[in-house]
Structures are given as structure tokens and as C-alpha cells.
Amino acid sequence: MSESPPHAQIALSCPAKVNLALSIARPGAAGLHPIASWMVAVHFGDQLTLRRAEHSSCFDIAFADDAPVAGRVNWPLEKDLAFRAHAMLERHLGRSLPIEAQLRKRIPTGAGLGGGSSDAAAMLVGVDRLFSLGLPTRDLMSLAAGLGSDVPFLVGALRGAPSAIVTGLGGQVEPVAADSMIYLVLIFTELACDTAVVYRSFDRLRPDAPEVADAEPVRALAEAGFLEQDGPFNDLAAAATAAYPELGAVQKRVREAVNLPVHVTGSGSTLFVVGAGDTSSKLIARKVTQETGLATVVARVMGGVGK
């Protein structure tokens, strides 16, 4: 059976990632913190368009005009995770994969939503599809682990598993069913939380953290079948608000505005509220913006369970 011909052009959504549950362990010998997390991908994110090029690759990376928070790409191309993902794939295969890549970012930088990680995952999945490479998901996820702890999950999300229990250093990804009718109101604080700073804050606050992240409450929440508004939890939330007191102040303002539990995404700085449905979530988002002036997005959890 002959291989299918490569695609000339493809477009991919790069979904934002939300940690609905996050347990953190103390750092290991390498200084990295093992985690246990229920991660979900949502219908909000960046957009990557890929075309095959004749010779050399070129990259056009900028924030989209309709991004909820204005941003600019102020880092060198060589540091961009999507660029690095493409270069990694070329090295892995030992061949050139020339592309024209246009990336339009909507996920704010330092938002705790895995924007750069999702871009990298989409690049791996997209180039594989563009050139009909036929790389198995496990191989792409193994490569992804070298780019960041969130990237393997997001590769899986783009391959049909947008909800998973993620353990270890991010490389152990176990798909779990998720209710695609979970609505989250994402609230953008316009702060940028440095992940390394938040983890150092965690180490100061939690010298008694366990050696292994506690996966039991994470799994219990993921398998409960219904997400209560006060259900999500995050071991990094206190560390993030301690390192960035402005984040805690904004969280308090939002809580007072909507009288609902307000959660921190990952290491911050985005906040979120669990909505009861599309209409109620839009009402919450409108109230937050009216009361605080902060930009909001209503995002629904992506459906599907891959293998």
C-alpha cells in the first residue's frame, strides 16, 4: 500500500491547557518537581498554519489582532518553543522538513495556560501530518518531553485525548474521560508569573511537601463525573499569590464580584471560574469584566478520549 501524499497546507488550533487539579511533590535530585495533575485542553488558543516550502523554512510569529490581552513577541526566534519543536523533529529524523509557518497567538505569555507548550505540540503534530510522516503518538510525546512538562499532554490532546491524568515530570499521560460540557470562565489578570519563581515560592512555603505527588485526589476529581464549582485545587496557588501579591488581590476582587470560587491556573497568572453552562458562564464573564475591567473568555473543555 503506497503512502498518502503530503499535504500542501494545514491549519491547527493550539488549545490552552488548564490544570483542574494539581498536586506537587518536593524537588528531586535534578531540582525538578514531580506532579500529579488532571489537565484538560479547551476550545480557546493559538492558531498555527503550516505550508510546505521548497527549500528553507520561515516563521511568522505574532499575537493575533483579536487576542483578549494585547501582547508582543519579544523573544528571539531560537527561543520560541514552536521553532524548537520543528528543529527537534528535523534532528530526530535526520532530514530537512522545510515549512512556512504562521503562528497567531491568543494565549497570553506567562498565563499558566501552556501557550508556548501548545504551539510546540501543534508544530510536532502538524509537521507530522504535513509531510505524512506517520509518527506514532508515543514517539511524538517522547520528543515533546524534551521541550517542557506540558508538551506531551498537549500532543495527546491534539491526537484526540484532551483530558488526562499527568504524573511524574509530565511524561506519564493517562487519558481519562471528561465532560465536554464543562465550561470555564478564563480571567486574564495582565500579570506574567514566572514558573521558576512560583516553584521557589512553593519550596519556601512547603518544605514538608511529599517526595511523590498525591495522585489520589487528582484521580478522584477527574473520575467524579461532575465538576463542582469549588472542586478544582492547585498546590501552586498559594505559592503564586505569595510570589505575586497582585495576583491574590485580583483574585479577591473577582471573588467578591461574582461570589463564586475563583481558581488559579497552574503557576498563574490566569484565574478561572467553573460555569454551570454556556449562558451562566457568559453572564459570569460579563460581570467580571464590568466589575474589574479584566478581559475574560468562556472556554469549553474539548471532548474525546484518545489512546
Side-chain angles (χ1 to χ4, degrees):
M1 184 175 180
S2 62
E3 293 185 2
S4 59
H7 298 270
Q9 174 178 321
I10 60 171
L12 300 94
S13 295
C14 314
K17 171 262 334 176
V18 177
N19 301 83
L20 293 179
L22 178 58
S23 294
I24 306 289
R26 72 180 67 168
L32 301 175
H33 295 73
I35 68 167
S37 180
W38 177 23
M39 296 186 186
V40 295
V42 301
H43 288 288
F44 163 74
D46 301 339
Q47 185 76 21
L48 177 66
T49 303
L50 298 174
R51 301 179 184 86
R52 293 170 59 207
E54 289 295 325
H55 302 292
S56 59
S57 296
C58 61
F59 297 81
D60 173 14
I61 303 174
F63 275 85
D65 292 339
D66 65 345
V69 177
R72 64 187 182 92
V73 176
N74 56 4
W75 54 88
L77 179 62
E78 294 74 16
K79 297 287 186 181
D80 190 87
L81 279 174
F83 175 88
R84 290 173 55 197
H86 176 257
M88 175 180 282
L89 198 52
E90 288 189 322
R91 289 194 302 272
H92 175 70
L93 295 174
R95 57 175 281 200
S96 175
L97 299 165
I99 59 169
E100 296 177 6
Q102 182 188 75
L103 177 62
R104 289 295 177 263
K105 299 179 67 66
R106 300 181 70 232
I107 303 172
T109 304
L113 294 170
S117 296
S118 191
D119 299 340
M123 181 65 75
L124 293 174
V125 171
V127 171
D128 174 76
R129 190 185 307 167
L130 188 71
F131 289 92
S132 297
L133 301 175
L135 293 172
T137 298
R138 63 180 178 274
D139 290 356
L140 287 182
M141 291 174 74
S142 179
L143 281 173
L147 295 165
S149 60
D150 291 340
V151 188
F153 162 71
L154 287 157
V155 166
L158 288 164
R159 285 282 180 93
S163 169
I165 304 293
V166 180
T167 53
L169 298 177
Q172 299 170 37
V173 180
E174 177 191 347
V176 294
D179 184 354
S180 62
M181 299 309 290
I182 294 176
Y183 287 85
L184 305 175
V185 180
L186 305 180
I187 303 153
F188 303 104
T189 65
E190 299 187 1
L191 301 169
C193 293
D194 186 302
T195 301
V197 170
V198 173
Y199 270 103
R200 287 197 293 270
S201 175
F202 174 84
D203 291 339
R204 289 192 297 270
L205 293 174
R206 291 288 308 278
D208 60 339
E211 292 184 2
V212 178
D214 188 359
E216 288 189 15
V218 174
R219 184 174 299 280
L221 187 67
E223 296 178 351
F226 181 79
L227 183 64
E228 301 282 356
Q229 290 184 308
D230 62 353
F233 63 89
N234 178 1
D235 281 359
L236 286 182
T241 55
Y244 297 93
E246 313 98 300
L247 180 62
V250 174
Q251 184 183 24
K252 182 175 182 290
R253 287 171 54 207
V254 174
R255 189 185 301 118
E256 291 172 347
V258 297
N259 195 31
L260 291 169
V262 180
H263 309 281
V264 178
T265 60
S267 58
S269 63
T270 304
L271 305 173
F272 71 93
V273 172
V274 178
D278 181 59
T279 300
S280 66
S281 297
K282 288 176 179 176
L283 291 173
I284 292 169
R286 186 180 309 150
K287 188 168 182 60
V288 169
T289 299
Q290 289 174 343
E291 296 289 332
T292 68
L294 298 173
T296 58
V297 164
V298 174
R300 183 167 55 86
V301 172
M302 295 169 62
V305 179
K307 296 180 180 180

